[in-house]
Amino acid sequence: MNNLFDLSGKVAIVTGAARGIGESIAVELAKSGANVVVSDIIPGESTAKKVKALGRKSIYIRADVSNEKEVINLINETMRKFGKIDILVNNAGIYKYAPTTSFSLEDWEKTIHIDLRGVFLCSREALKHMKRGASIINISSIAGISGFPDSAAYCAAKGGVRALTKYLASEFGKKGIRVNSVHPGIIHTPMTQQFFEDKKSINEMIAKIPLGRVGQPIDIAGPVVFLASDAASYITGEELVVDGGWIFSAE
Ligand code: NAD
């Protein structure tokens, strides 16, 4: 009997997979059977090692998602080593924050380049090789739906990812390729460590979350595995909010 969540024999690329949410996604995809290309700008061999320890194939390929040449190399190397791409998880991202009136143009452009252009570039190159049954999962944010304080560029980029997801879903649906976005709330990773150092502000955030806790990387990895699998074979263009109920209860 077919297990709808089984990813055996699939080839996945996860960007920003050296740590945090991306690392957890790589490991959980592997637990479901996928071979995983770990990509990042920082060393990602330790994630690749964890995937291999699960009996799957894995390599680390360094690529800055905002750099066209490096993205083309990531996709070409994946094709050369694995021969196909079934799953692309556009997870790499940065978060810059400041009040709008003091938000630097440099930080604006860096954020848009990595968080939005990176998703476009990786998707464009992977889609040249993806076949019926393949799937892209874009890690956006609740900031791409409802906004977040002092985060003009991040909100714009993540909102762009949400819209790009829906556009790509409509363009590639007829080819049997699904494209969905995941919108995490507050997840404890190196990116958000700064919030956790301020007990008062983190407790104020937790007070707004119906499930009464912040998320862990695995809380995002599970929904990504689901969206990548045949269990989600009739889901495309969807935005899956994974935030413990935060923005729903704020409405
Ligand atoms: P993180 O900073 O721990 O990990 C991000 C990874 O992306 C790092 O390994 C980093 O080296 C990599 N990266 C950064 N710039 C890159 C580039 N130009 N090219 C390739 N890789 C690059 O952050 P995280 O919390 O694990 O975030 C993962 C994703 O989830 C991001 O897209 C982030 O915006 C999104 N997200 C996180 C939260 C949260 O609360 N942590 C909430 C909503 C959305």
Side-chain angles (χ1 to χ4, degrees):
M1 209 166 65
N2 269 1
N3 172 357
L4 285 175
F5 296 91
D6 184 14
L7 300 177
S8 296
K10 306 260 187 207
V11 175
I13 299 173
V14 184
T15 67
R19 69 182 197 194
I21 293 171
E23 178 183 16
S24 183
I25 290 170
V27 168
E28 294 308 313
L29 286 171
K31 282 188 198 163
S32 288
N35 300 313
V36 184
V37 173
V38 171
S39 188
D40 208 303
I41 44 167
I42 60 170
E45 288 86 354
S46 72
T47 305
K49 208 168 153 193
K50 286 180 189 168
V51 170
K52 284 195 254 189
L54 292 162
R56 315 294 172 223
K57 293 188 186 124
S58 186
I59 50 167
Y60 161 67
I61 302 176
R62 192 203 173 280
D64 174 347
V65 294
S66 66
N67 181 306
E68 187 175 32
K69 275 199 184 125
E70 293 183 23
V71 170
I72 290 171
N73 180 61
L74 165 66
I75 301 302
N76 286 347
E77 274 298 289
T78 302
M79 288 304 293
R80 202 169 65 76
K81 298 229 164 72
F82 292 93
K84 61 174 185 162
I85 302 166
D86 300 298
I87 300 159
L88 168 66
V89 184
N90 284 309
N91 166 79
I94 57 164
Y95 174 56
K96 302 272 180 196
Y97 63 100
T100 302
T101 50
S102 54
F103 208 96
S104 73
L105 191 55
E106 193 190 348
D107 279 354
W108 170 272
E109 290 188 336
K110 198 162 184 206
T111 306
I112 300 291
H113 270 69
I114 296 172
D115 292 6
L116 179 56
R117 181 164 98 164
V119 174
F120 166 67
L121 282 176
C122 292
S123 302
R124 186 188 75 185
E125 292 309 310
L127 281 162
K128 291 177 183 173
H129 303 280
M130 285 179 143
K131 302 240 170 1
R132 186 162 288 277
S135 148
I136 296 178
I137 296 115
N138 295 324
I139 309 301
S140 176
S141 167
I142 54 170
I145 297 176
S146 65
F148 202 73
D150 296 338
S151 311
Y154 189 72
C155 290
K158 294 298 188 181
V161 169
R162 179 193 191 202
L164 179 61
T165 300
K166 291 182 193 307
Y167 169 71
L168 291 176
S170 69
E171 184 180 346
F172 287 89
K174 293 247 170 0
K175 294 184 173 149
I177 298 169
R178 298 179 298 105
V179 188
N180 292 290
S181 55
V182 171
H183 299 256
I186 179 96
I187 311 298
H188 196 169
T189 69
M191 179 184 276
T192 52
Q193 186 51 37
Q194 64 219 346
F195 296 127
F196 288 84
E197 269 140 36
D198 178 354
K199 283 266 169 291
K200 188 170 166 281
S201 87
I202 202 71
N203 286 336
E204 278 167 13
M205 277 189 211
I206 290 171
K208 292 180 190 153
I209 302 172
L211 286 181
R213 65 173 178 89
V214 299
Q216 298 300 324
I218 198 162
D219 291 314
I220 305 304
V224 170
V225 171
F226 161 65
L227 286 172
S229 76
D230 285 349
S233 62
Y234 201 49
I235 299 177
T236 196
E238 188 51 87
E239 50 194 70
L240 184 47
V241 175
V242 187
D243 68 345
W246 188 358
I247 60 166
F248 145 75
S249 64
E251 277 164 6

